[in-house]
Every structure is written in structure tokens, then in C-alpha cells.
Amino acid sequence: MISTKGALVLAGGGVAGIAWETGFLLGLQDEAPGLVRRLLTHSTTLVGTSAGSTVAAQIATGNNLQQLFDRQVAAMTAERIAVIDLAQLGGMVTEATKDAASPEQARQRLGTLAREADTPPAAVRRAVIEARLTTHEWSDWPLLIPAIDTSTGELRVFDNTSGTNLVDVVAASCAVPAVWPPVEIEGRLYMDGGARSLANADLAAGAAQVLILVPSPAESSFGVAVSDEQLRALDPARVRMINADAASLKAMGANPLDPESRTPAAQAGRDQGRRLAAEVDTFWS
């Protein structure tokens, strides 16, 4: 259930995106601690897609931002590198979805690719997600995590009433097609919620104000981060979308799934959060 007060939407962006979003939120706290106390409360619904599902779940299960940031800049990590060519992946998505009769059919084709791809074992990937989440149980914080059924292409939005395991849900939302294995939940295989939308911002419809953090440019080889249609779905909410700036994009590097991107992305996100703290404070007020 969406809070009528506000929603924080955290978009996908790989390991680098997790680090950037964590750093950005800590940067807000550095300059405007009162803002973060108002923003990160149970009256704010968290909507997390892919990388954003990790950050949202971490926040919802009681981790403070400094702890999360320290984990991003630590030398040791359970993350595993995946080599990814964003342009090539974008081309694969375009080819799979070309001439599809509906968005669901397009995602269904992508789901077929996801199921047939040669990826690391599911247990190996799940161990990474387990390590990301210090608590593996849902809390009472309103948290929405989207994933896509690989067989039907349909969107499923998980929350703390779904009766599902939080680790599995986050792993599903982070299951980049042809990179990480789909995740089985209740006999169905699910893939990255970003296959529908990088942010799935329309899931925040009903909130009075919506802050959207996107660790990528406004437009990339995957298309626009948040479509006009999704923004219209949020009417009449006040909406502020923040994309990673040029310095942050440079810090993230060419491969957002490389664990080496964590520290520079987190630091750049923190710097950007500090610079925009006053502006976001005014917006959220």
C-alpha cells in the first residue's frame, strides 16, 4: 500500500548503482540530517527495482546509511564481477522485443533468453544477495519490489504481505537477463524488474510527493530512465527525479557490475547528495 505522504523510488544500476544511491542518501544526511529523518520514515513508501531493491530492502530492515556506506567502500566484498557490455545488452533487449504485440510479449521473449542463457549457478548468486542483506526478513516498512515472470512477461510486485522470502525477491529483481540466473519463487521463474522499467516509478502512484533516484543518465542505450507515461501515472504528486551527474557516471565506469566501481561510485554519489541536499530538502518539505 502506497503511503499518501510520500515515496522514495530507487532505480536499477548494478553494483555501482547500489553504491551511488547509498552515497547519495548519506550525502543528503551529511548536509540536511533533518531531511533524511523526514524522508526515511515508515510514512514513506520505498519502491526498489534491481539495484534499488537492495538499497530499499537494506533501509527497510534497519540499516543506517553510514553502515551501508562503509560496506560500499570496504575493501572486502561478497560481490562477484560480471562482465557486461551495456550497448550489447541494450541491443539484445531491442532485438528480443522488436515487433512485439505488447510489452508483456516483449518481456516474455526476453524471459526466454534469460532462462536459456549460460549464467552462474543460482545458489552462487543467492549467496551474494544474502550477504547484501544483513536481515533476511521483511519488516513492517512499506516496501514494493517488482520482478518479471520470465514465462508470461507479467509484472509482479512483491511486498511484506506476499508470503515470499525477502532474499529471493531481491535476487529476482536483480536478475539481469542473460547475466544472472532467473529466481524461482512459488514455482515461477522471475527476472530483473528493470526489464519493465529502470525505476518502475508508476508503482508510487497515490503518493503526494515522489523522489526518484536514478544511477544513470536520463536516457541511455536502454531508453529513457523514467518514461513520460510513468510520470503521468504519478499525477497529481509533486515529483523530483535525480539522475547521476557527469562526475558520478565517470566514477561508475563502463561496467556497473564490477565490484571495483563501488568505492568511487559511493563517494561520487555522496558528493552529489551533498550538493543537492538543500534543493531536495526544499522539495520534500
Side-chain angles (χ1 to χ4, degrees):
M1 174 129 186
I2 283 289
S3 163
T4 56
K5 180 178 180 182
L8 173 62
V9 176
L10 300 168
V15 175
I18 294 172
W20 179 83
E21 289 173 350
T22 302
F24 186 92
L25 291 170
L26 183 59
L28 295 183
Q29 181 174 281
D30 290 339
E31 298 297 324
L35 159 64
V36 174
R37 284 195 294 270
R38 298 192 311 275
L39 175 64
L40 297 185
T41 70
H42 284 57
S43 62
T44 298
T45 297
L46 300 172
V47 179
T49 297
S50 198
S53 73
T54 295
V55 180
Q58 289 171 331
I59 292 170
T61 53
N63 297 272
N64 71 56
L65 295 176
Q66 186 63 59
Q67 290 172 329
L68 295 177
F69 183 86
D70 290 344
R71 292 180 67 188
Q72 292 303 317
V73 299
M76 299 297 293
T77 179
E79 298 289 344
R80 296 172 66 92
I81 189 170
V83 178
I84 182 173
D85 184 318
L86 292 179
Q88 184 179 22
L89 182 59
M92 182 189 73
V93 172
T94 300
E95 183 63 27
T97 59
K98 185 171 59 178
D99 301 325
S102 67
E104 288 77 14
Q105 185 185 67
R107 295 193 293 267
Q108 187 179 35
R109 293 176 181 173
L110 194 58
T112 299
L113 288 176
R115 292 193 307 273
E116 295 177 350
D118 182 15
T119 60
V124 171
R125 176 59 174 166
R126 193 180 195 279
V128 172
I129 306 301
E130 286 179 340
R132 288 179 183 176
L133 305 180
T134 56
T135 301
H136 297 167
E137 303 298 328
W138 294 88
S139 72
D140 59 356
W141 196 315
L143 167 63
L144 304 179
I145 299 177
I148 303 299
D149 188 313
T150 61
S151 295
T152 65
E154 294 175 345
L155 168 72
R156 181 171 177 185
V157 181
F158 296 90
D159 63 16
N160 57 14
T161 69
S162 299
T164 50
N165 182 277
L166 180 61
V167 174
D168 289 337
V169 169
V170 172
S173 192
C174 292
V176 181
V179 177
W180 302 122
V183 176
E184 183 174 350
I185 301 176
E186 298 172 346
R188 311 291 298 181
L189 287 174
Y190 290 91
M191 65 181 178
D192 201 316
R196 175 180 182 262
S197 163
L198 195 61
N200 291 292
D202 57 325
L203 299 183
Q209 54 187 5
V210 181
L211 176 63
I212 307 171
L213 300 185
V214 184
S216 65
E219 188 167 1
S220 67
S221 57
F222 292 96
V224 295
V226 180
S227 68
D228 291 341
E229 179 182 5
Q230 292 216 347
L231 291 175
R232 286 193 296 270
L234 299 177
D235 286 342
R238 296 170 56 245
V239 179
R240 177 71 170 93
M241 182 168 66
I242 298 174
N243 294 84
D245 61 14
S248 294
L249 294 173
K250 182 178 180 181
M252 290 180 195
N255 181 6
L257 301 185
D258 185 350
E260 291 296 320
S261 68
R262 295 175 305 121
T263 294
Q267 292 170 340
R270 190 174 189 176
D271 290 342
Q272 188 176 355
R274 286 170 171 166
R275 291 194 298 273
L276 296 182
E279 178 184 330
V280 176
D281 194 8
T282 299
F283 165 78
W284 199 255
S285 297

